[in-house]
Amino acid sequence: MSLPQTPSGGTRARDRELVARHGSPLYVYDLDRAVAARDALREALPESFTLFYSLKANPHPGLVRALAEGPGGCRAEVCSPGELANALEAGQEPGRILYSGPGKTAEEMTAALAAGVRTFSVESLGDLERLGAQATALGTVAEVLVRVNSAAAAATTSIRMTGTPSQFGIDAETLPELMPRLLAVPGARVVGAHFFPLSNSRDEDSLIAEFTATIESAARLEREHGLPLQVLDIGGGFAAPYSVPGERPVYTLLRTALEKALDEHLPRWRDGSLEIACESGRYLAGDCGRLLTTVTNVKHSRGRTFAILDAGINTLGGMAGLGRLLPLAVEPRADGTDGGADGGPELTNVVLAGPLCTPGDMLAKAARIPAPVPGDVLAVPNVGAYGPTASLLLFLGRPAPAELLLRDGEVVSASRLTTSRAEIDTGAR
């Protein structure tokens, strides 16, 4: 396991101060870093592109609001009633929100339409027909992006989202036959296409190849099969390190490559008659967040050292459904002490275990850190994306971690997610 550079004494003292004041475990989000990530992605894209922030990465309203502020602000992409509520709380205009996802129910479609959302990505003919029916019942028309599951993949790396049998998108080879039915659904107007074939691509060449293939495919669907194309969302795939040290990749070739592909296949994008959009979650939010966690106990078992933390998979689950992304890395002891003869910390292999009553609650199997003692505050870097809401928050009923927002190094917000059980009407008499 790699370790980040030892934090300065001031950083260690600041961590101890934040934990003393706000408790542990504790997520700390630096809004200035999030805005810097947004500006860096803006610089890597053609100037006229629309940029959506995907709330699945981190739906904290304060973060959503910060990413939307100022020139180049992000619009919101949501895929649940809860994410929609957070976007609206953050001040997002409902008419500029994109509602996506493969499992939209009729009830949530109705609620979104009633709130003023008008743009939806649909994953199938059935999804579109349900949306049209709800819009008709409310006396309105929904604008629709048809999500396309491309038949082949151009990228050689990353997490694949399409290109295989999938719940995401309409299979590209079926679109010619389906197009007349898609265009005839009452209450819905198809205005474009939505692609999202991959996620977390650090390889710029692969990302460019995928985007180029997407642009070519969209142009062909418009030209040969009559897909209306006023909006083209080419998706994302922008990478960021997760729970380990490292920097966001810099995409130096992307802007020129995108402009070339669009000029060749969809040249009217230059005059603004075709809106081109991208979306991102982890790239925008990932490196703004750190998790502070405290060692509550240290034990030795059959030759191994276990540091029991107050944060576990209920706090940093790493999207457990996708497989936790081990190993994570933590910064050295927050008290600044060390035992190395050269003045550096003497490192040892330590199992980092969480507080839950399950052997699966393990954050690292062999972290190389200074010998831990109870009370140490450890920091996990690059966890601004896929933190609390991607974790098993309800498992075993422990409190959710507190979440802080920093601006210019100062705390501007402190909050904690809470849950409660509410009675529902069963209809029984």
Side-chain angles (χ1 to χ4, degrees):
M1 174 181 297
S2 59
L3 287 173
Q5 293 182 349
T6 303
S8 68
T11 299
R12 291 192 293 264
R14 178 64 162 161
D15 288 349
R16 293 197 301 273
E17 175 190 343
L18 291 174
V19 166
R21 183 178 303 174
H22 301 283
S24 179
L26 177 65
Y27 275 93
V28 182
Y29 308 126
D30 186 332
L31 297 181
D32 297 313
R33 291 186 68 89
V35 171
R38 181 200 67 192
D39 293 347
L41 186 53
R42 277 283 181 204
E43 185 66 25
L45 297 171
E47 187 174 355
S48 62
F49 271 37
T50 294
L51 182 57
F52 286 98
Y53 172 59
S54 298
L55 268 71
K56 63 179 66 69
N58 187 331
H60 194 298
L63 178 60
V64 179
R65 184 179 299 110
L67 289 170
E69 292 172 346
C74 297
R75 293 164 60 178
E77 182 266 324
V78 305
C79 56
S80 71
E83 288 185 355
L84 175 59
N86 283 321
L88 295 175
E89 182 181 341
Q92 289 274 338
E93 297 178 23
R96 290 170 52 81
I97 292 172
L98 172 62
Y99 204 115
S100 64
K104 299 183 290 292
T105 66
E107 292 76 14
E108 70 183 90
M109 289 174 177
T110 297
L113 288 162
V117 177
R118 288 297 177 268
T119 306
F120 294 78
S121 172
V122 299
E123 312 274 355
S124 65
L125 177 60
D127 196 22
L128 176 55
E129 289 174 336
R130 278 191 300 278
L131 176 61
Q134 308 317 308
T136 298
L138 291 175
T140 190
V141 175
E143 296 195 335
V144 171
L145 304 182
V146 174
R147 182 164 178 178
V148 180
N149 179 5
S150 300
T156 57
T157 62
S158 77
I159 300 170
R160 295 301 313 172
M161 300 290 288
T162 55
T164 62
S166 175
Q167 71 269 44
F168 299 111
I170 300 174
D171 294 342
E173 64 272 21
T174 69
L175 277 170
E177 181 181 350
L178 280 176
M179 195 66 67
R181 298 174 66 186
L182 294 170
L183 299 180
V185 173
R189 183 170 70 93
V190 176
V191 298
H194 180 198
F195 292 74
F196 202 109
L198 77 170
S199 178
N200 201 28
S201 177
R202 297 192 65 88
D203 177 32
E204 187 170 22
D205 289 339
S206 287
L207 191 64
I208 288 171
E210 198 69 56
F211 282 151
T212 299
T214 289
I215 292 165
E216 292 174 355
S217 178
R220 185 170 57 254
L221 288 170
E222 179 188 41
R223 182 179 63 253
E224 298 179 3
H225 304 297
L227 175 67
L229 207 56
Q230 300 170 33
V231 181
L232 173 58
D233 184 341
I234 63 174
F238 310 105
Y242 178 74
S243 75
V244 293
E247 301 295 326
R248 285 180 280 104
V250 177
Y251 297 110
T252 58
L253 306 175
L254 184 59
R255 174 184 280 212
T256 299
L258 285 171
E259 290 175 345
K260 178 182 178 181
L262 287 166
D263 286 341
E264 180 178 353
H265 299 286
L266 294 167
R268 72 179 191 277
W269 80 281
R270 290 281 187 183
D271 64 21
S273 60
L274 171 59
E275 180 184 3
I276 308 294
C278 275
E279 54 196 89
S280 177
R282 74 177 74 233
Y283 189 93
L284 296 172
D287 79 349
C288 82
R290 301 165 72 235
L291 171 63
L292 305 183
T293 178
T294 301
V295 177
T296 62
N297 189 32
V298 177
K299 63 166 293 187
H300 303 279
S301 175
R302 294 174 177 165
R304 301 184 73 184
T305 299
F306 288 75
I308 314 301
L309 310 178
D310 57 11
I313 57 175
N314 59 320
T315 304
L316 184 61
M319 299 184 294
L322 296 180
R324 288 185 292 119
L325 304 182
L326 294 173
L328 58 73
V330 297
E331 296 169 355
R333 283 238 303 257
D335 63 7
T337 62
D338 58 70
D342 61 356
E346 184 176 308
L347 304 182
T348 184
N349 285 333
V350 178
V351 178
L352 300 181
L356 306 183
C357 295
T358 170
D361 190 19
M362 195 174 295
L363 295 183
K365 296 179 180 179
R368 292 285 294 171
I369 61 173
V373 296
D376 281 351
V377 176
L378 307 180
V380 182
N382 290 323
V383 287
Y386 302 112
T389 54
S391 303
L392 304 177
L393 278 176
L394 292 178
F395 188 43
L396 295 182
R398 300 187 72 86
E403 296 175 275
L404 301 186
L405 300 180
L406 304 184
R407 180 83 82 170
D408 296 325
E410 299 298 322
V411 176
V412 295
S413 170
S415 60
R416 187 191 307 274
L417 286 167
T418 60
T419 59
S420 61
R421 192 178 304 278
E423 294 291 332
I424 60 174
D425 184 1
T426 65
R429 293 288 184 267

